[in-house]
Amino acid sequence: MQYEILTLEINNGIAILTINREKALNALNRQTFSELEHFFGEAGHDIPDLKGVIITGAGEKAFVAGADITEFAGLSPKEGMALSKRGQDILYLIERFHKPVVAAIKGFALGGGCELAMACHLRIAGEKARFGQPEVNLGLTPGYGGTQRLVQYIGKTKALELLLTADMIGAEEAYRLGLVNAVVAPGEEMAKATELIEKIAAKAPYAVAKVIECVNAFYEEGDGFWKEVDAFGECCATEDFKEGAAAFVEKRKANFTGK
Ligand code: DAK
């Protein structure tokens, strides 16, 4: 698939996906969703020696200022439900991706943009980042998981406040609440996201993928303990487990191969 909105750059094993609709503050239109679906459902799985993915927005002003408001005027209830389900399914592809996905956030992450960031495994915010779920201003609820993931990340009290008032919060507040993993000086977002992915890339790849699965199982299935038992057993069968344990005993750095 030829991408029209996303640009994909692979830099030392890290895929950098940039949403390029700067004039519309990178608002998520249908085409952007289709391209994200293609990358996280297909193309991203075929990249050799992939360490992880960074999602960012073009320009300094916005990560993503929401779903594209011009596209959802006049939707029927049935069409609205279908669009919501499709968006949720695509964000699940990101959340379930086998390699770490990090959002590098400059500027606005609103509505669907905040939801996209929350579907990533980790979030790095520049000091000028702003977060919010302003859907009630438009007569809508969030449609791409915002009412669920925001509660998971920051708790019901603050999540309800943000969802009901449509207030925006800055990067420091987002960090204090647990919505983002780190706040960095403007311009440092990509470097910090890269540093995190490089750190994870030095760990055993199979175990990393299984951790993502186990954590997701709690939220998706309500109980991930059984999944953890399976994952632990599966890791015991890997070469990397033998290597990790041997490296510890021999007081050396482990050399994981992903087998
Ligand atoms: N969609 C489309 N265009 C957008 C946009 C958006 N979400 N946000 C900004 N733009 C466009 C503006 O229209 C403007 O275009 P031109 O007028 O230049 O052609 C350009 O980006 C620059 O924006 P501003 O001129 O407004 O820039 P300011 O610095 O003055 O303000 C702002 C920045 C971020 C505060 C402001 O642009 C703003 O309030 N934007 C909208 C934020 C927002 O409400 N986002 C939507 C959140 S709700 C659904 C599922 C999910 C959703 C909806 C439906 N279904 C399943 C049906 C999700 C909804 C949302 O994401």
Side-chain angles (χ1 to χ4, degrees):
M1 178 187 196
Q2 195 72 25
Y3 295 161
E4 292 167 22
I5 310 287
L6 297 182
T7 53
L8 168 63
E9 183 196 336
I10 301 185
N11 197 348
N12 193 24
I14 299 178
I16 300 166
L17 276 183
T18 305
I19 299 169
N20 265 300
R21 295 192 76 216
E22 195 176 345
K23 284 191 179 142
L25 302 187
N26 305 318
L28 300 171
N29 60 5
R30 284 189 170 86
Q31 180 66 24
T32 315
F33 270 111
S34 295
E35 293 178 15
L36 287 170
E37 179 181 38
H38 181 262
F39 182 83
F40 287 100
E42 295 179 45
H45 293 265
D46 296 334
I47 299 173
D49 301 321
L50 182 69
K51 293 175 180 167
V53 182
I54 299 174
I55 302 181
T56 195
E60 302 304 310
K61 205 168 160 184
F63 172 68
V64 167
D68 190 320
I69 296 170
T70 61
E71 276 191 351
F72 52 73
L75 286 180
S76 70
K78 208 171 158 191
E79 289 166 335
M81 283 177 71
L83 202 69
S84 173
K85 179 72 173 69
R86 173 164 165 72
Q88 289 192 5
D89 286 347
I90 293 168
L91 295 193
Y92 268 138
L93 292 175
I94 298 176
E95 191 166 54
R96 293 173 185 160
F97 199 64
H98 62 298
K99 294 287 179 184
V101 183
V102 183
I105 303 158
K106 294 173 272 181
F108 295 108
L110 303 177
C114 190
E115 290 169 310
L116 171 65
M118 290 193 290
C120 297
H121 302 124
L122 302 165
R123 285 156 292 285
I124 304 300
E127 280 165 6
K128 293 186 181 156
R130 310 270 295 154
F131 298 84
Q133 295 287 161
E135 285 84 350
V136 290
N137 287 336
L138 301 168
L140 288 171
T141 62
Y144 302 139
T147 60
Q148 304 304 297
R149 291 196 182 92
L150 195 62
V151 176
Q152 291 163 13
Y153 296 170
I154 72 174
K156 188 174 172 185
T157 303
K158 274 313 264 193
L160 268 173
E161 182 184 328
L162 295 185
L163 290 160
L164 295 176
T165 63
D167 281 351
M168 283 188 218
I169 56 170
E172 286 299 341
E173 175 75 343
Y175 178 70
R176 197 181 64 76
L177 292 171
L179 183 57
V180 300
N181 298 84
V183 179
V184 296
E188 296 297 314
E189 300 88 354
M190 294 300 286
K192 184 69 184 174
T194 301
E195 181 191 314
L196 267 177
I197 291 179
E198 289 290 358
K199 186 183 254 190
I200 297 166
K203 316 298 176 196
Y206 190 78
V208 165
K210 285 289 160 187
V211 166
I212 292 170
E213 266 183 42
C214 291
V215 171
N216 285 341
F218 172 79
Y219 294 107
E220 291 177 20
E221 292 150 44
D223 176 7
F225 284 97
W226 59 268
K227 175 77 89 183
E228 191 181 88
V229 169
D230 283 351
F232 192 90
E234 286 162 20
C235 285
C236 287
T238 63
E239 292 291 319
D240 279 348
F241 167 55
K242 292 190 192 84
E243 166 63 9
F248 177 79
V249 172
E250 293 160 20
K251 299 192 187 304
R252 61 173 172 83
K253 198 167 171 290
N255 181 22
F256 294 120
T257 59
K259 290 182 190 145

